[in-house]
Amino acid sequence: MPPDFWTVLFPAITAAFLASIVEVVEAFTIVLAVATTRGWRPAIAGTLAALAVLGLIVLILGPALRFIPIHILQLVVGILLLLFGMGWLRKAILRAAGVIPLHDEIEAYAEETAELQAQSGAPRTLQWIAGIAAFKAVLLEGLEVAFIVVAVGAGKGLLWEASLGALAACALVLIVGAAVHRPLSQVPENTLKFGVGVMLSAFGVFWTGEGLGVDWPGADLMLLPLAALFLLTGLLLARIARSGLERDPA
């Protein structure tokens, strides 16, 4: 096992895997609503079309990144990852504190189903509309996954490894979803988002430092204390926000 497995390779694959689970669960809810309302044919067609577009994006961006100098690539990707990760972490903290409500897959499924059932028109037209809904859901959620896969894999040439993590998550969600045939409301989405936000933020700081020429103590091992720092800070902020909400519930 290479020495950087636990410090770079494993975190990159894990970040892609966990982020993909969150996004695929949300996309699956919409696809399931399409399937139960208009049939599996438009749901599968829309999903496959979106996956093809996402695969093309990764295939184009991956090789193209090789032509960018590594320090510039690490700096740009690091800043983007930090902004992206902090966004995920912020929302996860607010949800954990009860400031904003948790994402409810059952509610999302009911809303999408009601919207589809309210539409009128010829059966073929309704199937087209349903297929487009599935396509849009998978594409929009998948774009975040594609960005994370490309970003966490770009700094150390781990694009294919990160892609495997994302594909494993997609396969897991689809297998479980097909088996239970209902929204995956039991998946701890906010906990996963919290963890992904921590990991992406740590990668963001690390890659930004690498791009600026920072000589990190312990090299790749620095990812571990960076992740611990973001984790502890996130938990502390969630506790402070929860305490403030309890003192002033209005």
Side-chain angles (χ1 to χ4, degrees), residues 30-146:
I30 306 301
V31 172
L32 182 62
V34 169
T36 55
T37 306
R38 302 297 178 203
W40 280 103
R41 185 174 181 179
I44 293 175
T47 299
L48 292 178
L51 290 177
V53 173
L54 292 170
L56 186 61
I57 291 174
V58 174
L59 287 175
I60 292 175
L61 284 181
L65 294 177
R66 298 177 184 176
F67 297 99
I68 302 176
I70 185 63
H71 288 300
I72 295 177
L73 179 62
Q74 288 175 331
L75 178 60
V76 173
V77 167
I79 293 173
L80 292 175
L81 268 181
L82 182 58
L83 294 174
F84 202 71
M86 290 295 288
W88 274 48
L89 192 54
R90 172 183 169 274
K91 288 185 179 180
I93 290 171
L94 293 176
R95 287 193 174 104
V99 177
I100 58 178
L102 295 172
H103 184 76
D104 189 340
E105 293 301 333
I106 299 293
E107 182 180 347
Y109 173 80
E111 289 177 355
E112 185 66 25
T113 300
E115 184 177 339
L116 289 168
Q117 290 175 339
Q119 295 168 348
S120 59
R124 183 175 292 274
T125 301
L126 293 176
Q127 286 201 338
W128 269 101
I129 294 174
I132 292 172
F135 172 83
K136 184 174 69 172
V138 175
L139 182 63
L140 291 179
E141 302 296 344
L143 282 174
E144 291 195 46
V145 174

Side-chain angles (χ1 to χ4, degrees), residues 139-227:
L139 182 63
L140 291 179
E141 302 296 344
L143 282 174
E144 291 195 46
V145 174
F147 167 76
I148 292 172
V149 166
V150 172
V152 299
K156 288 284 187 178
L158 302 174
L159 179 62
W160 295 115
E161 289 83 352
S163 298
L164 288 176
L167 289 174
C170 291
L172 176 62
V173 171
L174 292 177
I175 291 172
V176 174
V180 301
H181 202 67
R182 64 174 182 266
L184 302 179
S185 58
Q186 300 303 313
V187 174
E189 287 188 53
N190 200 58
T191 301
L192 294 179
K193 288 181 178 179
F194 200 108
V196 172
V198 166
M199 298 176 73
L200 295 185
S201 299
F203 268 110
V205 172
F206 184 80
W207 292 147
T208 301
E210 291 268 289
L212 293 173
V214 174
D215 187 13
W216 292 110
D220 296 336
L221 285 172
M222 192 62 191
L223 277 169
L224 301 179
L226 285 174

